[in-house]
mmCIF file of all heavy atoms in Angstrom:
data_model
loop_
_atom_site.group_PDB
_atom_site.id
_atom_site.type_symbol
_atom_site.label_atom_id
_atom_site.label_comp_id
_atom_site.label_asym_id
_atom_site.label_seq_id
_atom_site.Cartn_x
_atom_site.Cartn_y
_atom_site.Cartn_z
ATOM 1 N N HIS A 1 -18.342 -3.978 -8.456
ATOM 2 C CA HIS A 1 -19.068 -2.964 -9.142
ATOM 3 C C HIS A 1 -18.750 -1.599 -8.459
ATOM 4 O O HIS A 1 -18.264 -1.544 -7.338
ATOM 5 C CB HIS A 1 -20.594 -3.171 -9.086
ATOM 6 C CG HIS A 1 -21.037 -4.381 -9.829
ATOM 7 N ND1 HIS A 1 -20.942 -4.446 -11.229
ATOM 8 C CD2 HIS A 1 -21.607 -5.543 -9.428
ATOM 9 C CE1 HIS A 1 -21.388 -5.611 -11.615
ATOM 10 N NE2 HIS A 1 -21.789 -6.298 -10.535
ATOM 11 N N THR A 2 -19.060 -0.517 -9.187
ATOM 12 C CA THR A 2 -18.867 0.816 -8.615
ATOM 13 C C THR A 2 -19.580 0.891 -7.256
ATOM 14 O O THR A 2 -20.752 0.441 -7.145
ATOM 15 C CB THR A 2 -19.430 1.842 -9.553
ATOM 16 O OG1 THR A 2 -18.700 1.818 -10.777
ATOM 17 C CG2 THR A 2 -19.319 3.247 -8.985
ATOM 18 N N GLY A 3 -18.904 1.430 -6.322
ATOM 19 C CA GLY A 3 -19.491 1.550 -4.965
ATOM 20 C C GLY A 3 -19.134 0.385 -4.051
ATOM 21 O O GLY A 3 -19.392 0.439 -2.863
ATOM 22 N N GLY A 4 -18.526 -0.642 -4.595
ATOM 23 C CA GLY A 4 -18.227 -1.836 -3.785
ATOM 24 C C GLY A 4 -16.934 -1.618 -2.966
ATOM 25 O O GLY A 4 -16.324 -0.518 -2.990
ATOM 26 N N SER A 5 -16.619 -2.645 -2.240
ATOM 27 C CA SER A 5 -15.480 -2.612 -1.332
ATOM 28 C C SER A 5 -14.577 -3.843 -1.536
ATOM 29 O O SER A 5 -15.048 -4.925 -1.925
ATOM 30 C CB SER A 5 -15.950 -2.601 0.098
ATOM 31 O OG SER A 5 -16.687 -1.481 0.393
ATOM 32 N N LEU A 6 -13.314 -3.637 -1.227
ATOM 33 C CA LEU A 6 -12.341 -4.746 -1.192
ATOM 34 C C LEU A 6 -11.337 -4.452 -0.061
ATOM 35 O O LEU A 6 -11.096 -3.296 0.266
ATOM 36 C CB LEU A 6 -11.563 -4.854 -2.533
ATOM 37 C CG LEU A 6 -12.314 -5.440 -3.722
ATOM 38 C CD1 LEU A 6 -11.445 -5.278 -4.975
ATOM 39 C CD2 LEU A 6 -12.637 -6.959 -3.506
ATOM 40 N N ARG A 7 -10.775 -5.524 0.435
ATOM 41 C CA ARG A 7 -9.673 -5.390 1.423
ATOM 42 C C ARG A 7 -8.493 -6.103 0.921
ATOM 43 O O ARG A 7 -8.495 -7.328 0.741
ATOM 44 C CB ARG A 7 -10.146 -5.971 2.761
ATOM 45 C CG ARG A 7 -9.130 -5.721 3.896
ATOM 46 C CD ARG A 7 -9.478 -6.601 5.092
ATOM 47 N NE ARG A 7 -8.760 -6.176 6.293
ATOM 48 C CZ ARG A 7 -8.507 -6.979 7.310
ATOM 49 N NH1 ARG A 7 -8.871 -8.230 7.222
ATOM 50 N NH2 ARG A 7 -7.874 -6.518 8.380
ATOM 51 N N LEU A 8 -7.435 -5.383 0.707
ATOM 52 C CA LEU A 8 -6.164 -5.924 0.220
ATOM 53 C C LEU A 8 -5.273 -6.232 1.410
ATOM 54 O O LEU A 8 -5.252 -5.521 2.444
ATOM 55 C CB LEU A 8 -5.446 -4.989 -0.738
ATOM 56 C CG LEU A 8 -6.254 -4.454 -1.913
ATOM 57 C CD1 LEU A 8 -5.346 -3.562 -2.757
ATOM 58 C CD2 LEU A 8 -6.854 -5.567 -2.678
ATOM 59 N N SER A 9 -4.414 -7.277 1.228
ATOM 60 C CA SER A 9 -3.457 -7.656 2.247
ATOM 61 C C SER A 9 -2.063 -7.727 1.648
ATOM 62 O O SER A 9 -1.902 -8.045 0.482
ATOM 63 C CB SER A 9 -3.795 -8.984 2.857
ATOM 64 O OG SER A 9 -5.058 -8.969 3.504
ATOM 65 N N CYS A 10 -1.090 -7.397 2.438
ATOM 66 C CA CYS A 10 0.306 -7.432 2.019
ATOM 67 C C CYS A 10 1.117 -8.097 3.094
ATOM 68 O O CYS A 10 1.089 -7.677 4.248
ATOM 69 C CB CYS A 10 0.842 -6.072 1.762
ATOM 70 S SG CYS A 10 2.591 -5.963 1.508
ATOM 71 N N THR A 11 1.803 -9.159 2.753
ATOM 72 C CA THR A 11 2.733 -9.816 3.647
ATOM 73 C C THR A 11 4.069 -9.953 2.962
ATOM 74 O O THR A 11 4.190 -9.710 1.779
ATOM 75 C CB THR A 11 2.204 -11.248 4.026
ATOM 76 O OG1 THR A 11 2.078 -12.024 2.847
ATOM 77 C CG2 THR A 11 0.890 -11.118 4.726
ATOM 78 N N ALA A 12 5.063 -10.323 3.725
ATOM 79 C CA ALA A 12 6.397 -10.462 3.132
ATOM 80 C C ALA A 12 7.126 -11.612 3.735
ATOM 81 O O ALA A 12 6.887 -12.030 4.885
ATOM 82 C CB ALA A 12 7.197 -9.189 3.427
ATOM 83 N N SER A 13 7.952 -12.247 2.964
ATOM 84 C CA SER A 13 8.857 -13.267 3.431
ATOM 85 C C SER A 13 10.301 -12.759 3.285
ATOM 86 O O SER A 13 10.603 -11.963 2.357
ATOM 87 C CB SER A 13 8.720 -14.545 2.646
ATOM 88 O OG SER A 13 8.987 -14.320 1.256
ATOM 89 N N GLY A 14 11.079 -13.107 4.233
ATOM 90 C CA GLY A 14 12.512 -12.659 4.149
ATOM 91 C C GLY A 14 12.728 -11.363 4.971
ATOM 92 O O GLY A 14 13.909 -11.053 5.228
ATOM 93 N N ILE A 15 11.734 -10.679 5.326
ATOM 94 C CA ILE A 15 11.877 -9.477 6.128
ATOM 95 C C ILE A 15 10.636 -9.340 7.011
ATOM 96 O O ILE A 15 9.671 -10.039 6.821
ATOM 97 C CB ILE A 15 11.963 -8.200 5.307
ATOM 98 C CG1 ILE A 15 10.705 -7.978 4.456
ATOM 99 C CG2 ILE A 15 13.234 -8.151 4.458
ATOM 100 C CD1 ILE A 15 10.540 -6.554 3.939
ATOM 101 N N THR A 16 10.647 -8.438 7.961
ATOM 102 C CA THR A 16 9.534 -8.097 8.712
ATOM 103 C C THR A 16 9.166 -6.595 8.444
ATOM 104 O O THR A 16 10.087 -5.821 8.137
ATOM 105 C CB THR A 16 9.792 -8.232 10.220
ATOM 106 O OG1 THR A 16 8.638 -7.786 10.949
ATOM 107 C CG2 THR A 16 11.022 -7.463 10.634
ATOM 108 N N PHE A 17 7.920 -6.310 8.484
ATOM 109 C CA PHE A 17 7.466 -4.943 8.276
ATOM 110 C C PHE A 17 7.670 -4.110 9.492
ATOM 111 O O PHE A 17 7.608 -2.880 9.423
ATOM 112 C CB PHE A 17 6.027 -4.889 7.898
ATOM 113 C CG PHE A 17 5.701 -5.340 6.466
ATOM 114 C CD1 PHE A 17 4.491 -5.839 6.116
ATOM 115 C CD2 PHE A 17 6.701 -5.321 5.520
ATOM 116 C CE1 PHE A 17 4.224 -6.209 4.793
ATOM 117 C CE2 PHE A 17 6.460 -5.734 4.187
ATOM 118 C CZ PHE A 17 5.207 -6.151 3.896
ATOM 119 N N ASN A 18 7.907 -4.730 10.622
ATOM 120 C CA ASN A 18 8.011 -3.966 11.884
ATOM 121 C C ASN A 18 9.147 -2.973 11.753
ATOM 122 O O ASN A 18 10.251 -3.305 11.349
ATOM 123 C CB ASN A 18 8.250 -4.947 12.997
ATOM 124 C CG ASN A 18 7.045 -5.848 13.262
ATOM 125 O OD1 ASN A 18 5.948 -5.558 12.767
ATOM 126 N ND2 ASN A 18 7.268 -6.938 14.008
ATOM 127 N N GLY A 19 8.857 -1.753 12.148
ATOM 128 C CA GLY A 19 9.865 -0.672 12.097
ATOM 129 C C GLY A 19 9.971 -0.013 10.663
ATOM 130 O O GLY A 19 10.743 0.927 10.535
ATOM 131 N N ARG A 20 9.186 -0.449 9.724
ATOM 132 C CA ARG A 20 9.251 0.117 8.353
ATOM 133 C C ARG A 20 7.941 0.837 8.029
ATOM 134 O O ARG A 20 6.877 0.398 8.455
ATOM 135 C CB ARG A 20 9.463 -0.965 7.321
ATOM 136 C CG ARG A 20 10.783 -1.730 7.418
ATOM 137 C CD ARG A 20 10.772 -2.848 6.360
ATOM 138 N NE ARG A 20 12.000 -3.700 6.465
ATOM 139 C CZ ARG A 20 13.050 -3.469 5.766
ATOM 140 N NH1 ARG A 20 13.131 -2.481 4.894
ATOM 141 N NH2 ARG A 20 14.089 -4.308 5.931
ATOM 142 N N THR A 21 8.103 1.913 7.330
ATOM 143 C CA THR A 21 6.897 2.578 6.708
ATOM 144 C C THR A 21 6.584 1.797 5.481
ATOM 145 O O THR A 21 7.489 1.591 4.612
ATOM 146 C CB THR A 21 7.168 4.044 6.344
ATOM 147 O OG1 THR A 21 7.380 4.733 7.601
ATOM 148 C CG2 THR A 21 6.030 4.625 5.574
ATOM 149 N N ILE A 22 5.367 1.343 5.300
ATOM 150 C CA ILE A 22 4.963 0.562 4.141
ATOM 151 C C ILE A 22 3.809 1.271 3.448
ATOM 152 O O ILE A 22 2.950 1.847 4.096
ATOM 153 C CB ILE A 22 4.472 -0.845 4.604
ATOM 154 C CG1 ILE A 22 5.633 -1.546 5.267
ATOM 155 C CG2 ILE A 22 3.984 -1.581 3.360
ATOM 156 C CD1 ILE A 22 6.808 -1.859 4.334
ATOM 157 N N GLY A 23 3.856 1.241 2.161
ATOM 158 C CA GLY A 23 2.842 1.898 1.390
ATOM 159 C C GLY A 23 2.155 1.000 0.350
ATOM 160 O O GLY A 23 2.646 -0.117 0.133
ATOM 161 N N TRP A 24 1.065 1.469 -0.134
ATOM 162 C CA TRP A 24 0.407 0.814 -1.266
ATOM 163 C C TRP A 24 0.556 1.748 -2.461
ATOM 164 O O TRP A 24 0.484 2.993 -2.355
ATOM 165 C CB TRP A 24 -1.068 0.633 -0.992
ATOM 166 C CG TRP A 24 -1.359 -0.554 -0.071
ATOM 167 C CD1 TRP A 24 -1.564 -0.529 1.270
ATOM 168 C CD2 TRP A 24 -1.501 -1.898 -0.514
ATOM 169 N NE1 TRP A 24 -1.775 -1.791 1.740
ATOM 170 C CE2 TRP A 24 -1.726 -2.659 0.698
ATOM 171 C CE3 TRP A 24 -1.424 -2.589 -1.711
ATOM 172 C CZ2 TRP A 24 -1.912 -4.072 0.700
ATOM 173 C CZ3 TRP A 24 -1.548 -3.931 -1.710
ATOM 174 C CH2 TRP A 24 -1.820 -4.703 -0.519
ATOM 175 N N HIS A 25 0.778 1.125 -3.608
ATOM 176 C CA HIS A 25 0.925 1.816 -4.883
ATOM 177 C C HIS A 25 -0.017 1.108 -5.850
ATOM 178 O O HIS A 25 -0.412 -0.023 -5.637
ATOM 179 C CB HIS A 25 2.376 1.691 -5.394
ATOM 180 C CG HIS A 25 3.380 2.061 -4.353
ATOM 181 N ND1 HIS A 25 4.065 3.244 -4.307
ATOM 182 C CD2 HIS A 25 3.860 1.374 -3.258
ATOM 183 C CE1 HIS A 25 4.920 3.298 -3.327
ATOM 184 N NE2 HIS A 25 4.807 2.140 -2.617
ATOM 185 N N ARG A 26 -0.243 1.813 -6.955
ATOM 186 C CA ARG A 26 -1.075 1.122 -7.976
ATOM 187 C C ARG A 26 -0.644 1.570 -9.351
ATOM 188 O O ARG A 26 -0.040 2.674 -9.536
ATOM 189 C CB ARG A 26 -2.562 1.440 -7.791
ATOM 190 C CG ARG A 26 -2.951 2.883 -8.013
ATOM 191 C CD ARG A 26 -4.400 3.092 -7.634
ATOM 192 N NE ARG A 26 -4.859 4.433 -7.852
ATOM 193 C CZ ARG A 26 -6.035 4.949 -7.514
ATOM 194 N NH1 ARG A 26 -6.960 4.137 -6.874
ATOM 195 N NH2 ARG A 26 -6.358 6.199 -7.741
ATOM 196 N N GLN A 27 -0.921 0.718 -10.310
ATOM 197 C CA GLN A 27 -0.559 1.004 -11.695
ATOM 198 C C GLN A 27 -1.727 0.603 -12.607
ATOM 199 O O GLN A 27 -2.084 -0.571 -12.698
ATOM 200 C CB GLN A 27 0.675 0.290 -12.149
ATOM 201 C CG GLN A 27 1.169 0.666 -13.485
ATOM 202 C CD GLN A 27 2.599 0.240 -13.795
ATOM 203 O OE1 GLN A 27 3.137 -0.684 -13.169
ATOM 204 N NE2 GLN A 27 3.252 0.855 -14.785
ATOM 205 N N ALA A 28 -2.304 1.597 -13.209
ATOM 206 C CA ALA A 28 -3.406 1.371 -14.155
ATOM 207 C C ALA A 28 -2.846 1.120 -15.526
ATOM 208 O O ALA A 28 -1.717 1.550 -15.852
ATOM 209 C CB ALA A 28 -4.335 2.604 -14.168
ATOM 210 N N PRO A 29 -3.572 0.466 -16.409
ATOM 211 C CA PRO A 29 -3.092 0.200 -17.755
ATOM 212 C C PRO A 29 -2.673 1.465 -18.491
ATOM 213 O O PRO A 29 -3.411 2.455 -18.514
ATOM 214 C CB PRO A 29 -4.322 -0.418 -18.418
ATOM 215 C CG PRO A 29 -5.069 -1.026 -17.345
ATOM 216 C CD PRO A 29 -4.935 -0.099 -16.189
ATOM 217 N N GLY A 30 -1.479 1.473 -18.999
ATOM 218 C CA GLY A 30 -0.928 2.607 -19.766
ATOM 219 C C GLY A 30 -0.519 3.802 -18.926
ATOM 220 O O GLY A 30 -0.178 4.828 -19.495
ATOM 221 N N LYS A 31 -0.498 3.596 -17.631
ATOM 222 C CA LYS A 31 -0.103 4.713 -16.741
ATOM 223 C C LYS A 31 1.066 4.283 -15.846
ATOM 224 O O LYS A 31 1.380 3.079 -15.688
ATOM 225 C CB LYS A 31 -1.241 5.125 -15.857
ATOM 226 C CG LYS A 31 -2.421 5.727 -16.647
ATOM 227 C CD LYS A 31 -3.495 6.279 -15.714
ATOM 228 C CE LYS A 31 -4.599 6.934 -16.461
ATOM 229 N NZ LYS A 31 -5.637 7.482 -15.529
ATOM 230 N N GLN A 32 1.766 5.296 -15.305
ATOM 231 C CA GLN A 32 2.828 5.014 -14.390
ATOM 232 C C GLN A 32 2.255 4.606 -13.040
ATOM 233 O O GLN A 32 1.144 4.932 -12.629
ATOM 234 C CB GLN A 32 3.694 6.248 -14.230
ATOM 235 C CG GLN A 32 4.518 6.562 -15.449
ATOM 236 C CD GLN A 32 5.574 7.678 -15.202
ATOM 237 O OE1 GLN A 32 5.386 8.504 -14.298
ATOM 238 N NE2 GLN A 32 6.662 7.620 -15.920
ATOM 239 N N ARG A 33 3.129 3.856 -12.316
ATOM 240 C CA ARG A 33 2.762 3.494 -10.958
ATOM 241 C C ARG A 33 2.623 4.708 -10.100
ATOM 242 O O ARG A 33 3.421 5.635 -10.217
ATOM 243 C CB ARG A 33 3.825 2.554 -10.383
ATOM 244 C CG ARG A 33 3.489 1.872 -9.064
ATOM 245 C CD ARG A 33 4.596 0.909 -8.699
ATOM 246 N NE ARG A 33 4.584 -0.269 -9.593
ATOM 247 C CZ ARG A 33 5.605 -1.096 -9.819
ATOM 248 N NH1 ARG A 33 6.754 -0.804 -9.264
ATOM 249 N NH2 ARG A 33 5.477 -2.132 -10.567
ATOM 250 N N GLU A 34 1.647 4.759 -9.248
ATOM 251 C CA GLU A 34 1.390 5.911 -8.409
ATOM 252 C C GLU A 34 1.175 5.508 -6.947
ATOM 253 O O GLU A 34 0.737 4.447 -6.666
ATOM 254 C CB GLU A 34 0.166 6.724 -8.869
ATOM 255 C CG GLU A 34 -1.147 6.006 -8.781
ATOM 256 C CD GLU A 34 -2.335 6.880 -9.206
ATOM 257 O OE1 GLU A 34 -2.134 8.013 -9.596
ATOM 258 O OE2 GLU A 34 -3.493 6.357 -9.135
ATOM 259 N N PHE A 35 1.471 6.487 -6.113
ATOM 260 C CA PHE A 35 1.319 6.316 -4.655
ATOM 261 C C PHE A 35 -0.161 6.329 -4.309
ATOM 262 O O PHE A 35 -0.944 7.109 -4.831
ATOM 263 C CB PHE A 35 2.058 7.430 -3.954
ATOM 264 C CG PHE A 35 1.662 7.607 -2.465
ATOM 265 C CD1 PHE A 35 2.156 6.754 -1.528
ATOM 266 C CD2 PHE A 35 0.806 8.599 -2.075
ATOM 267 C CE1 PHE A 35 1.819 6.878 -0.190
ATOM 268 C CE2 PHE A 35 0.429 8.786 -0.790
ATOM 269 C CZ PHE A 35 0.935 7.902 0.181
ATOM 270 N N VAL A 36 -0.496 5.433 -3.332
ATOM 271 C CA VAL A 36 -1.909 5.402 -2.863
ATOM 272 C C VAL A 36 -2.005 5.756 -1.415
ATOM 273 O O VAL A 36 -2.736 6.654 -1.011
ATOM 274 C CB VAL A 36 -2.539 3.981 -3.099
ATOM 275 C CG1 VAL A 36 -3.924 3.931 -2.504
ATOM 276 C CG2 VAL A 36 -2.565 3.641 -4.558
ATOM 277 N N ALA A 37 -1.197 5.106 -0.581
ATOM 278 C CA ALA A 37 -1.294 5.317 0.858
ATOM 279 C C ALA A 37 -0.051 4.762 1.525
ATOM 280 O O ALA A 37 0.650 3.880 0.978
ATOM 281 C CB ALA A 37 -2.559 4.645 1.450
ATOM 282 N N LEU A 38 0.243 5.255 2.727
ATOM 283 C CA LEU A 38 1.323 4.729 3.484
ATOM 284 C C LEU A 38 1.012 4.740 5.001
ATOM 285 O O LEU A 38 0.133 5.501 5.409
ATOM 286 C CB LEU A 38 2.636 5.454 3.219
ATOM 287 C CG LEU A 38 2.764 6.949 3.608
ATOM 288 C CD1 LEU A 38 2.999 7.134 5.096
ATOM 289 C CD2 LEU A 38 3.902 7.597 2.831
ATOM 290 N N ILE A 39 1.690 3.890 5.697
ATOM 291 C CA ILE A 39 1.556 3.861 7.168
ATOM 292 C C ILE A 39 2.929 3.695 7.831
ATOM 293 O O ILE A 39 3.705 2.868 7.399
ATOM 294 C CB ILE A 39 0.549 2.746 7.585
ATOM 295 C CG1 ILE A 39 0.306 2.835 9.094
ATOM 296 C CG2 ILE A 39 1.008 1.374 7.167
ATOM 297 C CD1 ILE A 39 -0.902 2.014 9.551
ATOM 298 N N SER A 40 3.176 4.543 8.831
ATOM 299 C CA SER A 40 4.444 4.464 9.502
ATOM 300 C C SER A 40 4.427 3.395 10.597
ATOM 301 O O SER A 40 3.374 2.859 10.951
ATOM 302 C CB SER A 40 4.761 5.832 10.120
ATOM 303 O OG SER A 40 4.028 5.980 11.325
ATOM 304 N N PRO A 41 5.603 3.048 11.149
ATOM 305 C CA PRO A 41 5.584 2.091 12.247
ATOM 306 C C PRO A 41 4.764 2.561 13.419
ATOM 307 O O PRO A 41 4.304 1.709 14.258
ATOM 308 C CB PRO A 41 7.022 2.005 12.638
ATOM 309 C CG PRO A 41 7.795 2.448 11.409
ATOM 310 C CD PRO A 41 6.916 3.468 10.788
ATOM 311 N N PHE A 42 4.508 3.846 13.570
ATOM 312 C CA PHE A 42 3.757 4.379 14.651
ATOM 313 C C PHE A 42 2.277 4.577 14.347
ATOM 314 O O PHE A 42 1.522 5.024 15.151
ATOM 315 C CB PHE A 42 4.349 5.739 15.137
ATOM 316 C CG PHE A 42 5.848 5.641 15.271
ATOM 317 C CD1 PHE A 42 6.707 6.243 14.375
ATOM 318 C CD2 PHE A 42 6.405 5.029 16.372
ATOM 319 C CE1 PHE A 42 8.089 6.143 14.517
ATOM 320 C CE2 PHE A 42 7.770 4.953 16.561
ATOM 321 C CZ PHE A 42 8.623 5.519 15.622
ATOM 322 N N GLY A 43 1.898 4.190 13.145
ATOM 323 C CA GLY A 43 0.463 4.287 12.769
ATOM 324 C C GLY A 43 0.099 5.558 12.064
ATOM 325 O O GLY A 43 -1.017 5.732 11.734
ATOM 326 N N THR A 44 1.068 6.426 11.806
ATOM 327 C CA THR A 44 0.753 7.641 11.032
ATOM 328 C C THR A 44 0.455 7.241 9.559
ATOM 329 O O THR A 44 1.194 6.464 8.990
ATOM 330 C CB THR A 44 1.944 8.615 11.121
ATOM 331 O OG1 THR A 44 2.238 8.903 12.452
ATOM 332 C CG2 THR A 44 1.589 9.886 10.347
ATOM 333 N N THR A 45 -0.596 7.858 9.040
ATOM 334 C CA THR A 45 -0.978 7.486 7.671
ATOM 335 C C THR A 45 -0.998 8.681 6.749
ATOM 336 O O THR A 45 -1.040 9.843 7.215
ATOM 337 C CB THR A 45 -2.387 6.888 7.707
ATOM 338 O OG1 THR A 45 -3.343 7.807 8.247
ATOM 339 C CG2 THR A 45 -2.416 5.586 8.484
ATOM 340 N N ASN A 46 -0.862 8.429 5.512
ATOM 341 C CA ASN A 46 -0.958 9.467 4.466
ATOM 342 C C ASN A 46 -1.592 8.878 3.249
ATOM 343 O O ASN A 46 -1.347 7.670 2.937
ATOM 344 C CB ASN A 46 0.400 10.017 4.130
ATOM 345 C CG ASN A 46 0.354 11.278 3.357
ATOM 346 O OD1 ASN A 46 -0.657 11.953 3.369
ATOM 347 N ND2 ASN A 46 1.448 11.625 2.655
#
């Protein structure tokens, strides 16, 4: 419901995330995929 919370997780097989900047993106119905957030290997976020 509105105001609620969720925690998403992302894992990978075939590679490691270590040393990579990884981001979250989202795509709503009828819209283009958009950037949500990213985190660098050093913990810098945007």
Side-chain angles (χ1 to χ4, degrees):
H1 293 295
T2 297
S5 298
L6 285 172
R7 188 195 194 203
L8 306 184
S9 299
C10 169
T11 60
S13 60
I15 62 163
T16 175
F17 286 156
N18 295 343
R20 296 177 185 265
T21 294
I22 298 296
W24 283 95
H25 312 255
R26 66 186 181 186
Q27 187 167 20
K31 295 187 177 181
Q32 290 191 332
R33 190 174 289 156
E34 65 176 2
F35 165 78
V36 175
L38 64 79
I39 186 166
S40 78
F42 311 105
T44 302
T45 59
N46 193 22

